[in-house]
Amino acid sequence: MKPLTKYAKNGDINIAYQVIGNGPVDFIYVSGWISNIDILWTDSKISTFLNKITKFSRLILFDKRGTGLSDRVSATCSLKERMDDISCVLNAVGSKKAILFGHSEGGTASSLYAATFPERTVALITFGVFAKRKYSAEYPWAPKPEQRESFYQTIQKEWGNGQKMGLEYLMPSLIEDKKYYDWFASYLRSGASPGAALALAKMNTVADISLVLKSIKVPTLILHRTGDKDVNIEEGKYLADKIPNAKFVELQGNDHLFWVGDTHSVIAEIEEFITGIRPIKSKESTAQNSINKRTSEYSKINIEDVMLNNFQYNLKISEFAILSGRSLSAFKRDFQTQFKTTPSSWLKNKRLEYARELLLENNLNVNEICYEIGFINSSHFIKAFKNKYQLPPNKFKQGLLDS
């Protein structure tokens, strides 16, 4: 089951975060363009990768403002605000210093943070990162204006369409896995609206950390795949050349997403950089790859398994259908046959039962429980809970405490 989602307060903005593991060093993952820290755990590929990180660290995840489970404020926030959000999350989890792991766009904010707050940065690790997204003679690998404009048009016209969003540039090794492309498109859609995604893309276009790189004085590891189609490997070399004493490692492959393709080489470089010990690829890893391959074939997953593993996520019924490898109509038909009720009714009942468990076992407030169980409206949750248990959540819990 996914880690508990909590919220850190940065002024009036709520930043969603999770903590997993209890390793000796804090490791904060600063994600790329868009994220949803609840939904990412529904995918075996990324969840397997992140769980391996917890073997040698305490892993901290968060959704940046404007995306995922954090407040959906204007997505056109500044890099300074992004850095403030990182500090806010570190403060909330009691972390004085952490390793920053920045992926793609997240590497831009991570690099700036490492340069600005070296006293809070143990080390900087990046994967598939760029210094800027605007073409120039001294930085010829960045997209040209017409390429960025074409990208903007795709966001506006095809947001959420796994077959037309250009995902082959992010994970070409899975180009035949249409189901995974659809899942990833759904993941992006859960993290931001088309308008927010467009605003973030435009903000990335104007962001430029090229002049900051020489100010980074913490241990730095730059990871980049040779054939990355989204961010040219020369961009990774540029960062490594500008950051004093940075270690650059060129990895084989062409996927921009670190959890796709040869993930062992990525984990191995990270673990060795942090601990000094390089892990050996074991039979367990091979077995896990086989499991991942099987679980990506959604049609082989039992409906009951899908529902029990994912009921607490705020997914649409159509997305549960995708996870179970069925069309929406087939999913509803098979669900009715197996459970003798509709998916919506089953989800509502299961989430309310889970809410009752959380009230019994945790000190979460009503709003935290609401979002933890998959509701998006606290008033709706309170009304539904009262209809099922004859008392609103607060009074229900108070009755338990008084008894």
mmCIF file with all atom_site columns, all heavy atoms in Angstrom, residues 64 75-79 82 105 148 152 198-208:
data_model
loop_
_atom_site.group_PDB
_atom_site.id
_atom_site.type_symbol
_atom_site.label_atom_id
_atom_site.label_alt_id
_atom_site.label_comp_id
_atom_site.label_asym_id
_atom_site.label_entity_id
_atom_site.label_seq_id
_atom_site.pdbx_PDB_ins_code
_atom_site.Cartn_x
_atom_site.Cartn_y
_atom_site.Cartn_z
_atom_site.occupancy
_atom_site.B_iso_or_equiv
_atom_site.pdbx_formal_charge
_atom_site.auth_seq_id
_atom_site.auth_comp_id
_atom_site.auth_asym_id
_atom_site.auth_atom_id
_atom_site.pdbx_PDB_model_num
ATOM 1   N N   . LYS A 1 64  ? 4.866  19.271 -6.505  1.00 0.00 ? 64  LYS A N   1
ATOM 2   C CA  . LYS A 1 64  ? 5.081  20.709 -6.480  1.00 0.00 ? 64  LYS A CA  1
ATOM 3   C C   . LYS A 1 64  ? 3.755  21.447 -6.598  1.00 0.00 ? 64  LYS A C   1
ATOM 4   O O   . LYS A 1 64  ? 2.758  20.898 -7.092  1.00 0.00 ? 64  LYS A O   1
ATOM 5   C CB  . LYS A 1 64  ? 6.032  21.129 -7.598  1.00 0.00 ? 64  LYS A CB  1
ATOM 6   C CG  . LYS A 1 64  ? 5.533  20.851 -8.990  1.00 0.00 ? 64  LYS A CG  1
ATOM 7   C CD  . LYS A 1 64  ? 6.673  20.982 -9.971  1.00 0.00 ? 64  LYS A CD  1
ATOM 8   C CE  . LYS A 1 64  ? 6.266  20.530 -11.358 1.00 0.00 ? 64  LYS A CE  1
ATOM 9   N NZ  . LYS A 1 64  ? 7.397  20.327 -12.242 1.00 0.00 ? 64  LYS A NZ  1
ATOM 10  N N   . ALA A 1 75  ? 0.147  27.554 -12.064 1.00 0.00 ? 75  ALA A N   1
ATOM 11  C CA  . ALA A 1 75  ? 1.311  26.716 -12.363 1.00 0.00 ? 75  ALA A CA  1
ATOM 12  C C   . ALA A 1 75  ? 2.534  27.559 -12.745 1.00 0.00 ? 75  ALA A C   1
ATOM 13  O O   . ALA A 1 75  ? 3.643  27.041 -12.830 1.00 0.00 ? 75  ALA A O   1
ATOM 14  C CB  . ALA A 1 75  ? 0.985  25.749 -13.497 1.00 0.00 ? 75  ALA A CB  1
ATOM 15  N N   . THR A 1 76  ? 2.325  28.843 -12.978 1.00 0.00 ? 76  THR A N   1
ATOM 16  C CA  . THR A 1 76  ? 3.434  29.708 -13.390 1.00 0.00 ? 76  THR A CA  1
ATOM 17  C C   . THR A 1 76  ? 4.164  30.275 -12.180 1.00 0.00 ? 76  THR A C   1
ATOM 18  O O   . THR A 1 76  ? 4.395  31.475 -12.074 1.00 0.00 ? 76  THR A O   1
ATOM 19  C CB  . THR A 1 76  ? 2.925  30.860 -14.279 1.00 0.00 ? 76  THR A CB  1
ATOM 20  O OG1 . THR A 1 76  ? 1.884  31.559 -13.574 1.00 0.00 ? 76  THR A OG1 1
ATOM 21  C CG2 . THR A 1 76  ? 2.377  30.337 -15.589 1.00 0.00 ? 76  THR A CG2 1
ATOM 22  N N   . CYS A 1 77  ? 4.499  29.419 -11.238 1.00 0.00 ? 77  CYS A N   1
ATOM 23  C CA  . CYS A 1 77  ? 5.245  29.872 -10.065 1.00 0.00 ? 77  CYS A CA  1
ATOM 24  C C   . CYS A 1 77  ? 6.718  29.999 -10.427 1.00 0.00 ? 77  CYS A C   1
ATOM 25  O O   . CYS A 1 77  ? 7.180  29.440 -11.418 1.00 0.00 ? 77  CYS A O   1
ATOM 26  C CB  . CYS A 1 77  ? 5.050  28.913 -8.895  1.00 0.00 ? 77  CYS A CB  1
ATOM 27  S SG  . CYS A 1 77  ? 5.577  27.233 -9.238  1.00 0.00 ? 77  CYS A SG  1
ATOM 28  N N   . SER A 1 78  ? 7.450  30.722 -9.608  1.00 0.00 ? 78  SER A N   1
ATOM 29  C CA  . SER A 1 78  ? 8.865  30.961 -9.884  1.00 0.00 ? 78  SER A CA  1
ATOM 30  C C   . SER A 1 78  ? 9.717  29.817 -9.345  1.00 0.00 ? 78  SER A C   1
ATOM 31  O O   . SER A 1 78  ? 9.276  29.020 -8.507  1.00 0.00 ? 78  SER A O   1
ATOM 32  C CB  . SER A 1 78  ? 9.293  32.271 -9.244  1.00 0.00 ? 78  SER A CB  1
ATOM 33  O OG  . SER A 1 78  ? 9.234  32.166 -7.828  1.00 0.00 ? 78  SER A OG  1
ATOM 34  N N   . LEU A 1 79  ? 10.968 29.759 -9.804  1.00 0.00 ? 79  LEU A N   1
ATOM 35  C CA  . LEU A 1 79  ? 11.887 28.764 -9.269  1.00 0.00 ? 79  LEU A CA  1
ATOM 36  C C   . LEU A 1 79  ? 12.169 29.019 -7.796  1.00 0.00 ? 79  LEU A C   1
ATOM 37  O O   . LEU A 1 79  ? 12.428 28.078 -7.036  1.00 0.00 ? 79  LEU A O   1
ATOM 38  C CB  . LEU A 1 79  ? 13.193 28.773 -10.071 1.00 0.00 ? 79  LEU A CB  1
ATOM 39  C CG  . LEU A 1 79  ? 13.135 28.079 -11.443 1.00 0.00 ? 79  LEU A CG  1
ATOM 40  C CD1 . LEU A 1 79  ? 14.439 28.277 -12.197 1.00 0.00 ? 79  LEU A CD1 1
ATOM 41  C CD2 . LEU A 1 79  ? 12.832 26.596 -11.305 1.00 0.00 ? 79  LEU A CD2 1
ATOM 42  N N   . ARG A 1 82  ? 9.530  27.311 -5.984  1.00 0.00 ? 82  ARG A N   1
ATOM 43  C CA  . ARG A 1 82  ? 9.783  25.879 -5.998  1.00 0.00 ? 82  ARG A CA  1
ATOM 44  C C   . ARG A 1 82  ? 10.793 25.508 -4.913  1.00 0.00 ? 82  ARG A C   1
ATOM 45  O O   . ARG A 1 82  ? 10.649 24.497 -4.219  1.00 0.00 ? 82  ARG A O   1
ATOM 46  C CB  . ARG A 1 82  ? 10.348 25.465 -7.363  1.00 0.00 ? 82  ARG A CB  1
ATOM 47  C CG  . ARG A 1 82  ? 9.380  25.621 -8.518  1.00 0.00 ? 82  ARG A CG  1
ATOM 48  C CD  . ARG A 1 82  ? 8.433  24.439 -8.612  1.00 0.00 ? 82  ARG A CD  1
ATOM 49  N NE  . ARG A 1 82  ? 7.537  24.606 -9.722  1.00 0.00 ? 82  ARG A NE  1
ATOM 50  C CZ  . ARG A 1 82  ? 7.846  24.319 -10.981 1.00 0.00 ? 82  ARG A CZ  1
ATOM 51  N NH1 . ARG A 1 82  ? 9.032  23.852 -11.268 1.00 0.00 ? 82  ARG A NH1 1
ATOM 52  N NH2 . ARG A 1 82  ? 6.962  24.497 -11.928 1.00 0.00 ? 82  ARG A NH2 1
ATOM 53  N N   . GLU A 1 105 ? 12.942 18.345 -15.617 1.00 0.00 ? 105 GLU A N   1
ATOM 54  C CA  . GLU A 1 105 ? 12.711 19.696 -15.095 1.00 0.00 ? 105 GLU A CA  1
ATOM 55  C C   . GLU A 1 105 ? 13.024 19.813 -13.613 1.00 0.00 ? 105 GLU A C   1
ATOM 56  O O   . GLU A 1 105 ? 13.487 20.850 -13.127 1.00 0.00 ? 105 GLU A O   1
ATOM 57  C CB  . GLU A 1 105 ? 11.258 20.105 -15.343 1.00 0.00 ? 105 GLU A CB  1
ATOM 58  C CG  . GLU A 1 105 ? 10.851 21.420 -14.725 1.00 0.00 ? 105 GLU A CG  1
ATOM 59  C CD  . GLU A 1 105 ? 9.394  21.442 -14.322 1.00 0.00 ? 105 GLU A CD  1
ATOM 60  O OE1 . GLU A 1 105 ? 8.569  20.848 -15.036 1.00 0.00 ? 105 GLU A OE1 1
ATOM 61  O OE2 . GLU A 1 105 ? 9.077  22.056 -13.293 1.00 0.00 ? 105 GLU A OE2 1
ATOM 62  N N   . ARG A 1 148 ? 9.021  24.141 -29.680 1.00 0.00 ? 148 ARG A N   1
ATOM 63  C CA  . ARG A 1 148 ? 8.276  24.366 -28.442 1.00 0.00 ? 148 ARG A CA  1
ATOM 64  C C   . ARG A 1 148 ? 6.821  24.700 -28.740 1.00 0.00 ? 148 ARG A C   1
ATOM 65  O O   . ARG A 1 148 ? 5.909  24.235 -28.058 1.00 0.00 ? 148 ARG A O   1
ATOM 66  C CB  . ARG A 1 148 ? 8.913  25.497 -27.622 1.00 0.00 ? 148 ARG A CB  1
ATOM 67  C CG  . ARG A 1 148 ? 10.266 25.163 -27.052 1.00 0.00 ? 148 ARG A CG  1
ATOM 68  C CD  . ARG A 1 148 ? 10.264 23.921 -26.204 1.00 0.00 ? 148 ARG A CD  1
ATOM 69  N NE  . ARG A 1 148 ? 9.765  24.116 -24.859 1.00 0.00 ? 148 ARG A NE  1
ATOM 70  C CZ  . ARG A 1 148 ? 9.585  23.141 -23.972 1.00 0.00 ? 148 ARG A CZ  1
ATOM 71  N NH1 . ARG A 1 148 ? 9.834  21.889 -24.309 1.00 0.00 ? 148 ARG A NH1 1
ATOM 72  N NH2 . ARG A 1 148 ? 9.135  23.402 -22.756 1.00 0.00 ? 148 ARG A NH2 1
ATOM 73  N N   . TYR A 1 152 ? 3.448  22.870 -27.433 1.00 0.00 ? 152 TYR A N   1
ATOM 74  C CA  . TYR A 1 152 ? 2.313  23.541 -26.789 1.00 0.00 ? 152 TYR A CA  1
ATOM 75  C C   . TYR A 1 152 ? 0.989  23.128 -27.454 1.00 0.00 ? 152 TYR A C   1
ATOM 76  O O   . TYR A 1 152 ? -0.014 22.876 -26.773 1.00 0.00 ? 152 TYR A O   1
ATOM 77  C CB  . TYR A 1 152 ? 2.447  25.059 -26.878 1.00 0.00 ? 152 TYR A CB  1
ATOM 78  C CG  . TYR A 1 152 ? 3.687  25.654 -26.243 1.00 0.00 ? 152 TYR A CG  1
ATOM 79  C CD1 . TYR A 1 152 ? 4.189  26.885 -26.675 1.00 0.00 ? 152 TYR A CD1 1
ATOM 80  C CD2 . TYR A 1 152 ? 4.350  24.991 -25.217 1.00 0.00 ? 152 TYR A CD2 1
ATOM 81  C CE1 . TYR A 1 152 ? 5.325  27.433 -26.098 1.00 0.00 ? 152 TYR A CE1 1
ATOM 82  C CE2 . TYR A 1 152 ? 5.487  25.539 -24.635 1.00 0.00 ? 152 TYR A CE2 1
ATOM 83  C CZ  . TYR A 1 152 ? 5.975  26.759 -25.085 1.00 0.00 ? 152 TYR A CZ  1
ATOM 84  O OH  . TYR A 1 152 ? 7.096  27.311 -24.529 1.00 0.00 ? 152 TYR A OH  1
ATOM 85  N N   . LEU A 1 198 ? 0.275  23.243 -19.766 1.00 0.00 ? 198 LEU A N   1
ATOM 86  C CA  . LEU A 1 198 ? 0.784  24.211 -20.730 1.00 0.00 ? 198 LEU A CA  1
ATOM 87  C C   . LEU A 1 198 ? 1.570  25.320 -20.025 1.00 0.00 ? 198 LEU A C   1
ATOM 88  O O   . LEU A 1 198 ? 2.647  25.721 -20.479 1.00 0.00 ? 198 LEU A O   1
ATOM 89  C CB  . LEU A 1 198 ? -0.376 24.810 -21.525 1.00 0.00 ? 198 LEU A CB  1
ATOM 90  C CG  . LEU A 1 198 ? -0.013 25.863 -22.576 1.00 0.00 ? 198 LEU A CG  1
ATOM 91  C CD1 . LEU A 1 198 ? 0.894  25.263 -23.642 1.00 0.00 ? 198 LEU A CD1 1
ATOM 92  C CD2 . LEU A 1 198 ? -1.279 26.439 -23.213 1.00 0.00 ? 198 LEU A CD2 1
ATOM 93  N N   . ALA A 1 199 ? 1.024  25.803 -18.905 1.00 0.00 ? 199 ALA A N   1
ATOM 94  C CA  . ALA A 1 199 ? 1.711  26.871 -18.164 1.00 0.00 ? 199 ALA A CA  1
ATOM 95  C C   . ALA A 1 199 ? 3.071  26.397 -17.657 1.00 0.00 ? 199 ALA A C   1
ATOM 96  O O   . ALA A 1 199 ? 4.062  27.137 -17.708 1.00 0.00 ? 199 ALA A O   1
ATOM 97  C CB  . ALA A 1 199 ? 0.840  27.333 -16.998 1.00 0.00 ? 199 ALA A CB  1
ATOM 98  N N   . LEU A 1 200 ? 3.126  25.148 -17.186 1.00 0.00 ? 200 LEU A N   1
ATOM 99  C CA  . LEU A 1 200 ? 4.401  24.591 -16.712 1.00 0.00 ? 200 LEU A CA  1
ATOM 100 C C   . LEU A 1 200 ? 5.404  24.458 -17.852 1.00 0.00 ? 200 LEU A C   1
ATOM 101 O O   . LEU A 1 200 ? 6.592  24.750 -17.688 1.00 0.00 ? 200 LEU A O   1
ATOM 102 C CB  . LEU A 1 200 ? 4.161  23.224 -16.073 1.00 0.00 ? 200 LEU A CB  1
ATOM 103 C CG  . LEU A 1 200 ? 3.563  23.223 -14.665 1.00 0.00 ? 200 LEU A CG  1
ATOM 104 C CD1 . LEU A 1 200 ? 3.077  21.829 -14.305 1.00 0.00 ? 200 LEU A CD1 1
ATOM 105 C CD2 . LEU A 1 200 ? 4.578  23.710 -13.646 1.00 0.00 ? 200 LEU A CD2 1
ATOM 106 N N   . ALA A 1 201 ? 4.915  24.009 -19.001 1.00 0.00 ? 201 ALA A N   1
ATOM 107 C CA  . ALA A 1 201 ? 5.800  23.860 -20.154 1.00 0.00 ? 201 ALA A CA  1
ATOM 108 C C   . ALA A 1 201 ? 6.376  25.212 -20.569 1.00 0.00 ? 201 ALA A C   1
ATOM 109 O O   . ALA A 1 201 ? 7.570  25.319 -20.904 1.00 0.00 ? 201 ALA A O   1
ATOM 110 C CB  . ALA A 1 201 ? 5.037  23.223 -21.317 1.00 0.00 ? 201 ALA A CB  1
ATOM 111 N N   . LYS A 1 202 ? 5.553  26.238 -20.545 1.00 0.00 ? 202 LYS A N   1
ATOM 112 C CA  . LYS A 1 202 ? 6.026  27.571 -20.922 1.00 0.00 ? 202 LYS A CA  1
ATOM 113 C C   . LYS A 1 202 ? 7.008  28.123 -19.894 1.00 0.00 ? 202 LYS A C   1
ATOM 114 O O   . LYS A 1 202 ? 7.970  28.808 -20.244 1.00 0.00 ? 202 LYS A O   1
ATOM 115 C CB  . LYS A 1 202 ? 4.836  28.519 -21.104 1.00 0.00 ? 202 LYS A CB  1
ATOM 116 C CG  . LYS A 1 202 ? 4.008  28.215 -22.346 1.00 0.00 ? 202 LYS A CG  1
ATOM 117 C CD  . LYS A 1 202 ? 2.883  29.222 -22.545 1.00 0.00 ? 202 LYS A CD  1
ATOM 118 C CE  . LYS A 1 202 ? 2.158  28.960 -23.863 1.00 0.00 ? 202 LYS A CE  1
ATOM 119 N NZ  . LYS A 1 202 ? 1.064  29.924 -24.098 1.00 0.00 ? 202 LYS A NZ  1
ATOM 120 N N   . MET A 1 203 ? 6.770  27.809 -18.619 1.00 0.00 ? 203 MET A N   1
ATOM 121 C CA  . MET A 1 203 ? 7.703  28.250 -17.586 1.00 0.00 ? 203 MET A CA  1
ATOM 122 C C   . MET A 1 203 ? 9.061  27.582 -17.768 1.00 0.00 ? 203 MET A C   1
ATOM 123 O O   . MET A 1 203 ? 10.112 28.199 -17.608 1.00 0.00 ? 203 MET A O   1
ATOM 124 C CB  . MET A 1 203 ? 7.143  27.929 -16.201 1.00 0.00 ? 203 MET A CB  1
ATOM 125 C CG  . MET A 1 203 ? 7.882  28.637 -15.074 1.00 0.00 ? 203 MET A CG  1
ATOM 126 S SD  . MET A 1 203 ? 7.863  27.728 -13.527 1.00 0.00 ? 203 MET A SD  1
ATOM 127 C CE  . MET A 1 203 ? 9.110  26.492 -13.842 1.00 0.00 ? 203 MET A CE  1
ATOM 128 N N   . ASN A 1 204 ? 9.029  26.291 -18.143 1.00 0.00 ? 204 ASN A N   1
ATOM 129 C CA  . ASN A 1 204 ? 10.285 25.580 -18.390 1.00 0.00 ? 204 ASN A CA  1
ATOM 130 C C   . ASN A 1 204 ? 11.063 26.196 -19.539 1.00 0.00 ? 204 ASN A C   1
ATOM 131 O O   . ASN A 1 204 ? 12.303 26.193 -19.542 1.00 0.00 ? 204 ASN A O   1
ATOM 132 C CB  . ASN A 1 204 ? 10.004 24.105 -18.709 1.00 0.00 ? 204 ASN A CB  1
ATOM 133 C CG  . ASN A 1 204 ? 9.505  23.344 -17.496 1.00 0.00 ? 204 ASN A CG  1
ATOM 134 O OD1 . ASN A 1 204 ? 9.718  23.763 -16.364 1.00 0.00 ? 204 ASN A OD1 1
ATOM 135 N ND2 . ASN A 1 204 ? 8.828  22.237 -17.732 1.00 0.00 ? 204 ASN A ND2 1
ATOM 136 N N   . THR A 1 205 ? 10.338 26.718 -20.510 1.00 0.00 ? 205 THR A N   1
ATOM 137 C CA  . THR A 1 205 ? 10.990 27.302 -21.673 1.00 0.00 ? 205 THR A CA  1
ATOM 138 C C   . THR A 1 205 ? 11.841 28.516 -21.299 1.00 0.00 ? 205 THR A C   1
ATOM 139 O O   . THR A 1 205 ? 12.905 28.742 -21.878 1.00 0.00 ? 205 THR A O   1
ATOM 140 C CB  . THR A 1 205 ? 9.945  27.700 -22.738 1.00 0.00 ? 205 THR A CB  1
ATOM 141 O OG1 . THR A 1 205 ? 9.211  26.533 -23.130 1.00 0.00 ? 205 THR A OG1 1
ATOM 142 C CG2 . THR A 1 205 ? 10.607 28.292 -23.973 1.00 0.00 ? 205 THR A CG2 1
ATOM 143 N N   . VAL A 1 206 ? 11.376 29.292 -20.336 1.00 0.00 ? 206 VAL A N   1
ATOM 144 C CA  . VAL A 1 206 ? 12.102 30.519 -19.979 1.00 0.00 ? 206 VAL A CA  1
ATOM 145 C C   . VAL A 1 206 ? 13.090 30.304 -18.830 1.00 0.00 ? 206 VAL A C   1
ATOM 146 O O   . VAL A 1 206 ? 13.931 31.162 -18.561 1.00 0.00 ? 206 VAL A O   1
ATOM 147 C CB  . VAL A 1 206 ? 11.125 31.661 -19.625 1.00 0.00 ? 206 VAL A CB  1
ATOM 148 C CG1 . VAL A 1 206 ? 10.237 31.977 -20.809 1.00 0.00 ? 206 VAL A CG1 1
ATOM 149 C CG2 . VAL A 1 206 ? 10.273 31.312 -18.405 1.00 0.00 ? 206 VAL A CG2 1
ATOM 150 N N   . ALA A 1 207 ? 12.995 29.163 -18.133 1.00 0.00 ? 207 ALA A N   1
ATOM 151 C CA  . ALA A 1 207 ? 13.918 28.902 -17.027 1.00 0.00 ? 207 ALA A CA  1
ATOM 152 C C   . ALA A 1 207 ? 15.328 28.658 -17.574 1.00 0.00 ? 207 ALA A C   1
ATOM 153 O O   . ALA A 1 207 ? 15.509 27.987 -18.590 1.00 0.00 ? 207 ALA A O   1
ATOM 154 C CB  . ALA A 1 207 ? 13.450 27.691 -16.221 1.00 0.00 ? 207 ALA A CB  1
ATOM 155 N N   . ASP A 1 208 ? 16.321 29.198 -16.897 1.00 0.00 ? 208 ASP A N   1
ATOM 156 C CA  . ASP A 1 208 ? 17.708 29.081 -17.352 1.00 0.00 ? 208 ASP A CA  1
ATOM 157 C C   . ASP A 1 208 ? 18.631 29.098 -16.135 1.00 0.00 ? 208 ASP A C   1
ATOM 158 O O   . ASP A 1 208 ? 18.693 30.083 -15.407 1.00 0.00 ? 208 ASP A O   1
ATOM 159 C CB  . ASP A 1 208 ? 18.038 30.241 -18.286 1.00 0.00 ? 208 ASP A CB  1
ATOM 160 C CG  . ASP A 1 208 ? 19.443 30.156 -18.874 1.00 0.00 ? 208 ASP A CG  1
ATOM 161 O OD1 . ASP A 1 208 ? 20.231 29.291 -18.438 1.00 0.00 ? 208 ASP A OD1 1
ATOM 162 O OD2 . ASP A 1 208 ? 19.757 30.968 -19.760 1.00 0.00 ? 208 ASP A OD2 1
#
